[in-house]
Amino acid sequence: MRQGHVEAEVIPVVDVPITFEGHARFNVANALAASAAAYALGLSIADIQMGLQTFHPTPGQNPGRTNLIDADGMKVLIDYGHNVPALEALSGLVGCIPARRRISVASAPGNRRDEDLFTLGTLLARMHDVVFIYETDARGRTPGDAARLLREGAESVPGTCRVEVIMEEQQAVERAFEEASEGDLLVLLIDDVDSAIERIRGAASGRLPPQRQTVRRHDARRPPGRQAADPAAGRQSLCAGASRGKRYSDRRWPYRRPGA
């Protein structure tokens, strides 16, 4: 932090959980911006340090945004990266997480330009070994058209990435879990985060969660009788599951250094 000629170090980047030890460069930028804004509003360096140290990329505190979870020997990264800039930013982090294979479930709304959907498909293929494409919201397109463009983009990339189209989101997620095995990284670029968390818990406990109605992140309406989730309660439930011996965790991972 700098004001005039006075400089003060706020915190080492490796101690800020949302940066994943600096590999999530987009969250390094977010942390810098948040720190500057907080300082301008009069918060002390100690307060800023505390905020940065205690904000974690978990489903409880920041659902659907770079949630990295261990599930029975696999790693699962949940994010809402549905456009080209978001996926470009995420690619650096995905590449630094050690994995035997990288398997993705991905989609994009139909109101993206044709060239953007095609480019998104190419990025998915370059980042992953297997890609399962679903369709989230046609938004004026013919059903299946957005998925087709994503697939064409992915299949245009030379290499060994395998691409499948499974139109329904939960079926695509289930197919990805069937495909994955110990040591793999699942990258779930999805809308229905709650169902994915239930599926991860099911994988950890050896059971499958019941199917339920999908609630999209972009749908502002909440089903009748459903209350807003308590972020703290969500985090406690994950930690409580781990303490009971279930094999999943949202703790920090060892990351592979670039070039290692």
Side-chain angles (χ1 to χ4, degrees):
M1 195 73 65
R2 180 172 182 175
Q3 186 173 17
H5 297 290
V6 179
E7 292 185 1
E9 180 180 296
V10 177
I11 189 173
V13 70
V14 296
D15 293 333
V16 181
I18 64 166
T19 72
F20 293 89
E21 299 183 0
H23 294 297
R25 297 181 65 86
F26 51 93
N27 273 342
V28 174
N30 287 334
L32 288 169
S35 299
Y39 189 74
L41 290 171
L43 273 71
S44 68
I45 296 295
D47 288 336
I48 296 170
Q49 289 173 337
M50 180 63 70
L52 293 173
Q53 285 179 313
T54 57
F55 186 67
H56 295 263
T58 61
Q61 287 190 297
N62 199 24
R65 301 293 181 180
T66 58
N67 304 149
L68 185 59
I69 303 168
D70 181 17
D72 202 26
M74 300 180 293
K75 301 180 184 73
V76 183
L77 180 66
I78 302 175
D79 195 73
Y80 191 67
H82 283 35
N83 58 59
V84 171
L87 203 57
E88 288 176 337
L90 192 65
S91 63
L93 174 60
V94 170
C96 286
I97 300 174
R100 188 177 66 92
R101 292 185 305 164
R102 292 171 176 82
I103 301 168
S104 180
V105 176
S107 183
N111 61 353
R112 306 287 191 259
R113 298 179 302 174
D114 287 6
E115 54 265 41
D116 291 336
L117 291 169
F118 188 90
T119 301
L120 195 64
T122 65
L123 288 170
L124 288 167
R126 289 172 182 149
M127 292 168 58
H128 304 98
D129 300 290
V130 183
V131 175
F132 296 102
I133 295 171
Y134 69 95
E135 191 159 289
T136 176
D137 189 348
R139 295 193 187 181
R141 286 184 180 269
T142 302
D145 191 43
R148 174 185 61 81
L149 287 166
L150 287 170
R151 180 169 193 163
E152 288 177 359
E155 291 180 341
S156 72
V157 177
T160 58
C161 179
R162 176 160 56 87
V163 183
E164 293 184 24
V165 174
I166 301 174
M167 293 295 288
E168 203 279 323
E169 178 181 330
Q170 289 193 25
Q171 291 179 8
V173 171
E174 185 61 34
R175 179 70 183 88
F177 272 95
E178 292 172 355
E179 174 75 24
S181 57
E182 185 173 353
D184 288 343
L185 170 66
L186 288 182
V187 181
L188 305 182
L189 307 176
I190 56 175
D191 295 305
D192 190 2
V193 174
D194 291 344
S195 287
I197 295 299
E198 290 179 9
R199 181 61 181 83
I200 292 168
R201 290 172 175 167
S205 63
R207 61 175 176 80
L208 296 181
Q211 294 293 315
R212 63 181 181 82
Q213 182 180 0
T214 297
V215 179
R216 302 290 182 188
R217 286 177 58 86
H218 57 258
D219 188 350
R221 296 170 297 177
R222 185 175 293 122
R226 178 173 176 174
Q227 301 299 316
D230 179 0
R235 177 163 172 75
Q236 289 169 359
S237 66
L238 281 175
C239 295
S243 67
R244 290 194 298 269
K246 294 182 180 180
R247 289 186 290 174
Y248 62 83
S249 170
D250 55 9
R251 296 181 180 178
R252 177 183 296 176
W253 284 96
Y255 303 101
R256 182 174 60 213
R257 301 295 179 185

